[in-house]
Amino acid sequence: TGEPEGILVRTSSKYAPDAKNTDRIPATLLALVRNSEVDDMVASMNDLERTWNHKFNYPWTFFNDEPFSDEFIKKTSAATKAKCNYEVIPDEHWAVPSWIDKDMFDASAAVLEKNGVQYARMMSYHQMCRWNSGMFYKHPALKDVRYYWRVEPKVHFFCDVDYDVFRYMHDNNKTYGFTITLYDDPKTLPTLWPETAKFLADHPTYLKENNAVKWVTDSERRPEHNLNAQGFSTCHFWTNFEVADMEFWRSQVYDDYFNHLDKAGGFFYERWGDAPVHSIAVGLFEDKSKIHWFRDIGYQHIPFFNCPNSPKCKGCVTGRLTDGEPFLHREDCRPNWFKYAHMD
Ligand code: GDP
Ligand code: MN
């Protein structure tokens, strides 16, 4: 078409926000967020647009359990050249399931609270964890979308990333990408592993070859966690950052697993997070070579960092998991991932 061949020109036209014959693959940046968090959302967008997305212009898709405000739409759409989609979550995806008993929820919350579990009584937090575990990828707005990058308000990105992260996932046959792994509080999920074990007993063929079960169940560094969590190490991918292929969540195997957990009630009677649920599922039902550590993506969600040692990164300190209390360093379980599951 007589278009100049310069790299910059080609890159910018290939990834122009409105390009028709684009190289982009079906993917979106994805955020569940409240109207009240708009300024923190814009701060996250500014970081990710500056370090990565202004080069690729992947669309943003925002989800909310109520309609987005005009202010939210105005401020977020001004933070990117890319297309923004604003989606309300259908009631059948967000509502507390009919089989959850309110009195039992209150009674369980009292026990969790006594054990120091944060957000125990906050129903919307439980709904959020369930939605992130087994609902978001069923939203009609994502019907033709395959990969997503999850972004929360008030997170930070520190490093220039010059390649198309979604294309990397696709071309290297990766299912799941993470930056940080942490131990969970076993008191939030005492029956998650027993329920998983029941599910495995019913579906022995679902275990994937070359899985990461040794990582999921290892007890080396925090044996007391293993005891309290009944066999689960509690080491999980920290899902507030997550780049993944929704075909995995949309598979029969994951659908059956999520439905089993949902019926068991632990999203409400305990406080199962989407992080341990996603991590166990990927660890058991996917080939571990399809799980990727994005060591080059500098990231922070308070209080933890992933900070690469690279001139491409600005504003974080290399070699530290946290600026917070020293005991927080003990939460890091990346060494277990490398030891038991994957040594890149
Ligand atoms: P934490 O990181 O575990 O402390 O949980 P957050 O409070 O950060 O919540 C996780 C994500 O879900 C954030 O992006 C929130 O904006 C979002 N979120 C949590 N609860 C709700 C809710 O009830 N409605 C909406 N729209 N977003 C929520
Ligand atoms: Mn958060």
Side-chain angles (χ1 to χ4, degrees):
T1 60
E3 192 185 293
E5 276 298 304
I7 291 280
L8 277 176
V9 174
R10 258 197 302 142
T11 306
S12 60
S13 60
K14 198 159 77 170
Y15 290 108
D18 55 354
K20 292 275 185 299
N21 295 318
T22 175
D23 259 21
R24 276 187 293 259
I25 48 176
T28 190
L29 299 163
L30 187 156
L32 170 73
V33 54
R34 305 178 188 93
N35 285 313
S36 58
E37 295 171 300
V38 60
D39 293 333
D40 288 336
M41 190 69 236
V42 167
S44 299
M45 291 178 76
N46 287 342
D47 267 23
L48 190 51
E49 288 287 335
R50 186 189 71 250
T51 54
W52 185 68
N53 197 43
H54 80 275
K55 294 162 242 181
F56 300 100
N57 292 300
Y58 277 96
W60 287 85
T61 308
F62 300 97
F63 290 99
N64 195 345
D65 56 312
E66 58 181 36
F68 281 108
S69 65
D70 292 342
E71 183 199 4
F72 187 94
I73 293 173
K74 197 165 147 237
K75 286 183 170 172
T76 50
S77 58
T80 177
K81 304 191 294 286
K83 186 170 191 299
C84 293
N85 307 305
Y86 300 90
E87 305 293 341
V88 175
I89 297 169
D91 195 48
E92 69 266 26
H93 286 179
W94 189 262
V96 179
S98 58
W99 58 88
I100 298 301
D101 180 82
K102 182 70 174 77
D103 293 336
M104 205 154 125
F105 174 81
D106 290 338
S108 321
V111 176
L112 292 173
E113 209 162 52
K114 202 170 84 238
N115 285 328
V117 172
Q118 245 193 316
Y119 304 123
R121 276 179 200 283
M122 191 175 170
M123 187 58 104
S124 66
Y125 193 88
H126 295 259
Q127 290 168 277
M128 177 273 286
C129 290
R130 175 176 178 266
W131 185 81
N132 276 321
S133 297
M135 291 295 163
F136 73 93
Y137 52 87
K138 295 169 181 158
H139 195 286
L142 299 178
K143 184 170 65 63
D144 299 319
V145 182
R146 179 162 168 196
Y147 298 89
Y148 66 97
W149 180 334
R150 177 168 155 192
V151 183
E152 280 197 7
K154 212 178 176 173
V155 299
H156 288 288
F157 296 94
F158 301 105
C159 311
D160 286 325
V161 176
D162 296 320
Y163 60 94
D164 181 341
V165 167
F166 292 124
R167 180 155 291 285
Y168 173 86
M169 296 288 289
H170 181 263
D171 293 353
N172 292 282
N173 203 12
K174 300 293 183 190
T175 298
Y176 193 88
F178 69 97
T179 50
I180 294 169
T181 60
L182 299 172
Y183 287 113
D184 214 341
D185 176 354
K187 296 193 192 75
T188 64
L189 45 68
T191 69
L192 177 57
W193 186 252
E195 282 303 334
T196 301
K198 270 191 231 166
F199 177 77
L200 283 173
D202 290 344
H203 303 278
T205 60
Y206 280 1
L207 256 187
K208 190 84 164 185
E209 237 177 275
N210 196 34
N211 59 54
V213 67
K214 285 208 172 73
W215 169 72
V216 173
T217 58
D218 99 77
S219 62
E220 194 162 300
R221 291 187 73 212
R222 301 280 287 270
E224 76 279 12
H225 270 203
N226 249 131
L227 283 179
N228 299 336
Q230 317 245 30
F232 173 37
S233 74
T234 79
C235 185
H236 60 277
F237 306 121
W238 212 25
T239 48
N240 46 67
F241 174 101
E242 187 167 74
V243 180
D245 179 351
M246 287 185 279
E247 279 189 2
F248 180 78
W249 311 128
R250 290 165 177 157
S251 67
Q252 189 69 55
V253 172
Y254 187 75
D255 198 46
D256 288 349
Y257 180 56
F258 174 74
N259 287 333
H260 178 97
L261 297 183
D262 202 22
K263 282 281 161 15
F267 289 110
F268 296 94
Y269 302 142
E270 297 180 5
R271 209 207 67 200
W272 296 349
D274 53 281
V277 170
H278 279 186
S279 302
I280 290 175
V282 173
L284 300 180
F285 308 130
E286 187 51 289
D287 183 314
K288 67 191 180 200
S289 70
K290 296 190 175 194
I291 305 173
H292 178 67
W293 177 38
F294 280 106
R295 66 168 73 205
D296 52 339
I297 299 184
Y299 177 70
Q300 179 193 32
H301 174 301
I302 291 170
F304 298 112
F305 296 95
N306 179 56
C307 186
N309 183 7
S310 157
K312 285 179 182 286
C313 307
K314 281 186 205 71
C316 62
V317 182
T318 305
R320 288 177 65 79
L321 178 72
T322 178
D323 285 341
E325 298 293 326
F327 74 85
L328 287 173
H329 282 278
R330 296 205 311 259
E331 302 303 312
D332 192 1
C333 57
R334 269 174 289 200
N336 300 42
W337 171 255
F338 297 115
K339 175 165 181 193
Y340 289 99
H342 205 50
M343 350 239 159
D344 257 325

